[in-house]
Amino acid sequence: PVFAVAFSPDGQELAVGGVPEGTGWNSLTGALLRRLGSLPERIQSLAYAKDGATLVVGGGSPGDYGELTLVDPAGTTPPRVLGTFDDLVLAAAVSRDGTRVAAAAADRAVRCYSLVEGKLLWQSQLHFDWVTSVGLSHDDRFVATGSKDYTIKVLDAATGALFTTYNGHKRQLGKENGRFPVYALAFSPDGPQAYSAGKGKSIRVW
């Protein structure tokens, strides 16, 4: 199974993650370039840093442990574990300035690390169920996290303090009525707007 894919910043390579390894492909020809070993058993998330020199890998073993790892996409240097979690890492996102990475896990934890120093900057555990998705705003001011608890939390990216909670996935939207887990979210690259999707039929714009 394949659980995650990511294009390199220059669009020349495609990183693919699944079980039990990661691979790098030429995005134009489809040729396999390399296999990336010594990674989490199950890769759930892939995200490139802005310069393309670092690939952030999130994963682990479901119900057992989670791992956030920094990988050299070229495979010339060994992977470095940035942090471990009590359950599977489900999502990771790199700030647009390339200095921080935010990760979300099935143990309800959200953590933010310095990519340069490898230091844990803050941790948050405000959700009541798996944190399935994470993103950073266009100006890197906010981290948003989506969860199976039907909510999205918007946090201050510098401190992890709660800024607001978005409850749109458990409110009636037109004829669609119900409480829906959130599985994906993304910020607009050029303005204060975000998009989220879950088990319901609608994409929320907020």
Side-chain angles (χ1 to χ4, degrees):
V2 172
F3 294 107
V5 294
F7 280 105
S8 61
D10 62 8
Q12 298 299 304
E13 291 192 18
L14 181 69
V16 179
V19 179
E21 67 178 357
T23 50
W25 303 78
N26 183 307
S27 63
L28 300 177
T29 67
L32 176 64
L33 300 175
R34 67 191 65 87
R35 297 183 182 277
L36 303 172
S38 302
L39 297 178
E41 174 188 346
R42 175 167 162 174
I43 299 171
Q44 287 281 152
S45 176
L46 295 168
Y48 278 92
K50 185 179 180 180
D51 61 5
T54 301
L55 179 64
V56 179
V57 179
S61 178
D64 186 16
Y65 83 103
E67 184 178 298
L68 189 66
T69 305
L70 302 183
V71 175
D72 174 7
T76 56
T77 58
R80 177 166 63 99
V81 176
L82 194 59
T84 58
F85 295 67
D86 291 333
D87 207 338
L88 192 66
V89 174
L90 297 172
V94 180
S95 62
R96 299 183 193 279
D97 64 8
T99 63
R100 290 168 290 171
V101 57
D107 64 359
R108 304 186 295 112
V110 178
R111 295 182 188 171
C112 185
Y113 294 87
S114 166
L115 269 180
V116 179
E117 303 171 350
K119 178 183 176 183
L120 177 64
L121 301 177
W122 53 261
Q123 175 172 316
S124 173
Q125 206 159 11
L126 298 175
H127 287 288
F128 297 102
D129 209 330
W130 291 10
V131 189
T132 59
S133 48
V134 65
L136 284 101
S137 61
H138 71 291
D139 54 6
D140 288 335
R141 287 183 58 202
F142 299 105
V143 172
T145 58
S147 171
K148 290 179 66 177
D149 68 4
Y150 322 120
T151 69
I152 292 170
K153 302 291 184 182
V154 182
L155 312 174
D156 184 299
T159 66
L162 180 64
F163 178 75
T164 191
T165 299
Y166 176 68
N167 293 300
H169 285 268
K170 56 181 179 180
R171 294 178 179 170
Q172 183 166 345
L173 181 65
K175 296 181 179 179
E176 187 178 19
N177 187 21
R179 297 161 65 85
F180 305 110
V182 181
Y183 293 129
L185 67 84
F187 276 97
S188 168
D190 55 5
Q193 198 170 49
Y195 308 83
S196 55
K199 193 173 182 180
K201 299 178 181 179
S202 304
I203 295 173
R204 267 68 167 175
V205 184
W206 46 284

